[in-house]
Amino acid sequence: YLVLFTITLRVLNCFLVQTSFVPDEYWQSLEVAHHMVFKYPLLFEVKMSLRGYSYPLLFATIYRVLQLLAKDDVQLLIWIPRLVQAVLSALADVKLYSLVRHLENAETAKWVYLCQLCSWFTWYCCTRTLTNTMETVLTIFALFYYPMEGSKIRSSCKYLTLVALAFIIRPTAVIPWIPLVLRHFWQEQKKVDLVLYSYIPVGLTTLGISLIIDRVFFGEWILVQMKFLKFNVLQNLGTFYGSHPWHWYLTQGLPVILGTHLPFFIHGCIQAPKRYRIFLVVVVWTLLVYSMLSHKEFRFIYPVLPFCMVFCGYSLKQLKTWKKSAITFLLLSNLLPALYTGLIHQRGSLDVMIHMQQLCNNSSNQSWASVFVMMPCHSTPFYSHVHCPLPMRFLQCPPDLTGKESYLDEADIFYSNPLKWLNEEFYNGTLPTHLVFFSVLEQEISSFLVLNGYERTATVFHTHMPQGRIGSHIYVYTRRVK
């Protein structure tokens, strides 16, 4: 019954998340999978071998089955991968409950489970097709088999295999596991056997499978994980996508994703038994390591949230008075941000794709229509949310791999002077029939729109908190056919 209830809740969760979070939830999963099956254009990070095909292969398999059944409708292509991710997240929730029940008791497990389910950030992320989401799922499953004191379900091979899979999908997934693996190795009496019969076989097998998968789709032997670590860690080129001060995860990152769980987390850290100190070490270690990298995002520390929920649940269990008030406070205070971020904030990126789908529904439209998305690059999904050969273009933003300080990508050049860029780009070229851009751009390019016969045909709400190049609404302009 717990499994059925959790799956039902996460499926509901899936349908109540109708907003976009970050481009990677499409461009590192669904778009790659769509290309693998339907051979539509590919994205930069896969072309440059910075991302492997192991995670997208899951969704490509789903797409291939739908294709064979002649059921590859665009709505199924959008929702089935998310529903699969929702079910996997639900099973991870149950595993977290089972872990605490084995380590403690059903009472403590109940409160940890409640904290996990009512976490607004987990609600926001757990049904998205992000590598961070799968990393978190695999982390929980691996933790279930990790040899903790008092655990009767320990299995070195199982937990190491799951950690290795998480590493294959996202190499930085190994960061939270460094303290745990070192602790396991230190406490293991048969260290040589652990290395010979667990570490080496698991490592070679998972890495070998990853190499073969990437060899099939890249057409050459590539160690994607090494390129990923070189790009993001050694060369720190992730700063191309933004940077934050070193203390950001401590002062903003963790407090935001914990939300109103924060006081319970602090209380739980004080009250929890000594054997759970390793979980706190994992949280602190992960925050410190990520703090050394300039490029920071909330989702990067999502995998440590389940560790935090163990402390939050222990805190609730220890409360003697005000327990009902605390539970009510947690539920209500997480409900509002969960619904707001899931249903309202940044929904325009997905809603505008409905207008693109409508161009595909009419076969006569496909023959003449073309779309140019003039937004910060990767602001919207692409062919995975259109699924027809509609000519589409967006501003390119490949990171600089040469180290030039003055490097500007196409999006930067465009936004430095949009009107000049448009006049030069389409001086003798064929104009797109549809332009898609944020409302903040309209006034600046109004003369170009009027001169070339464009009319606004759709206004899509995006966010109540516009900033910089991101506007409150997305406009669709259509060129009048003479």
Side-chain angles (χ1 to χ4, degrees), residues 139 143 146 173-181 183 276-290 303-305 307-308 311:
T139 294
L143 199 58
Y146 181 77
V174 76
I175 293 172
W177 281 97
I178 291 175
L180 289 164
V181 172
R183 175 183 177 274
Y276 290 114
R277 284 181 181 173
I278 185 62
F279 288 179
L280 184 58
V281 169
V282 168
V283 174
V284 174
W285 160 260
T286 304
L287 294 179
L288 291 177
V289 172
Y290 274 119
V304 305
L305 207 52
F307 293 93
C308 297
F311 293 106

Side-chain angles (χ1 to χ4, degrees), residues 41-144:
L42 197 53
L43 67 156
F44 167 78
E45 283 201 336
V46 171
K47 284 182 179 179
M48 297 301 294
S49 313
L50 296 177
R51 301 288 177 179
Y53 282 94
S54 299
Y55 182 54
L57 184 61
L58 169 65
F59 306 117
T61 304
I62 296 169
Y63 285 173
R64 181 59 176 161
V65 171
L66 291 172
Q67 184 188 43
L68 292 173
L69 296 174
K71 298 292 183 182
D72 52 325
D73 176 77
V74 65
Q75 294 302 320
L76 293 179
L77 296 182
I78 293 170
W79 285 103
I80 289 184
R82 289 200 53 208
L83 287 169
V84 169
Q85 190 66 69
V87 171
L88 291 173
S89 294
L91 296 177
D93 294 336
V94 175
K95 280 293 184 185
L96 184 62
Y97 169 85
S98 300
L99 169 69
V100 180
R101 190 185 65 187
H102 280 95
L103 293 177
E104 291 290 330
N105 49 57
E107 179 72 9
T108 307
K110 177 179 68 176
W111 298 120
V112 172
Y113 175 75
L114 175 67
C115 289
Q116 173 75 356
L117 291 192
C118 72
S119 165
W120 81 269
F121 194 74
T122 299
W123 178 277
Y124 185 55
C125 291
C126 74
T127 65
R128 298 183 184 275
T129 50
L130 277 166
T131 53
N132 309 90
T133 302
M134 184 59 79
E135 176 190 352
T136 304
V137 167
L138 291 172
T139 294
I140 295 174
F141 274 94
L143 199 58
F144 180 77

Side-chain angles (χ1 to χ4, degrees), residues 128-282:
R128 298 183 184 275
T129 50
L130 277 166
T131 53
N132 309 90
T133 302
M134 184 59 79
E135 176 190 352
T136 304
V137 167
L138 291 172
T139 294
I140 295 174
F141 274 94
L143 199 58
F144 180 77
Y145 295 107
Y146 181 77
M148 286 284 292
E149 295 173 28
S151 174
K152 299 176 182 178
I153 45 177
R154 59 179 65 191
S155 172
S156 297
C157 279
K158 286 183 181 180
Y159 101 79
L160 288 170
T161 300
L162 290 162
V163 172
L165 287 174
F167 172 78
I168 294 303
I169 290 171
R170 189 172 183 86
T172 49
V174 76
I175 293 172
W177 281 97
I178 291 175
L180 289 164
V181 172
L182 288 177
R183 175 183 177 274
H184 177 207
F185 183 77
W186 180 261
Q187 293 182 341
E188 180 63 45
Q189 294 181 343
K190 299 180 179 179
K191 291 181 173 57
V192 175
D193 287 350
L194 181 64
V195 173
L196 291 178
Y197 301 115
S198 294
Y199 287 178
I200 293 176
V202 167
L204 291 179
T205 301
T206 50
L207 191 60
I209 293 172
S210 173
L211 280 169
I212 292 170
I213 291 172
D214 290 332
R215 173 67 178 84
V216 169
F217 292 101
F218 279 119
E220 57 181 314
W221 293 106
I222 293 177
L223 187 58
V224 172
Q225 292 75 24
M226 185 58 67
K227 286 200 169 189
F228 176 91
L229 290 172
K230 181 181 177 182
F231 180 89
N232 288 286
V233 180
L234 300 179
Q235 295 179 324
N236 204 20
L237 291 175
T239 53
F240 179 79
Y241 299 107
S243 60
H244 295 83
W246 68 268
H247 56 77
W248 187 84
Y249 282 122
L250 299 173
T251 57
Q252 296 182 55
L254 187 65
V256 168
I257 69 170
L258 277 173
T260 53
H261 284 74
L262 183 59
F264 299 97
F265 169 67
I266 296 171
H267 179 244
C269 290
I270 298 170
Q271 294 292 323
K274 289 184 179 180
R275 62 176 169 173
Y276 290 114
R277 284 181 181 173
I278 185 62
F279 288 179
L280 184 58
V281 169
V282 168

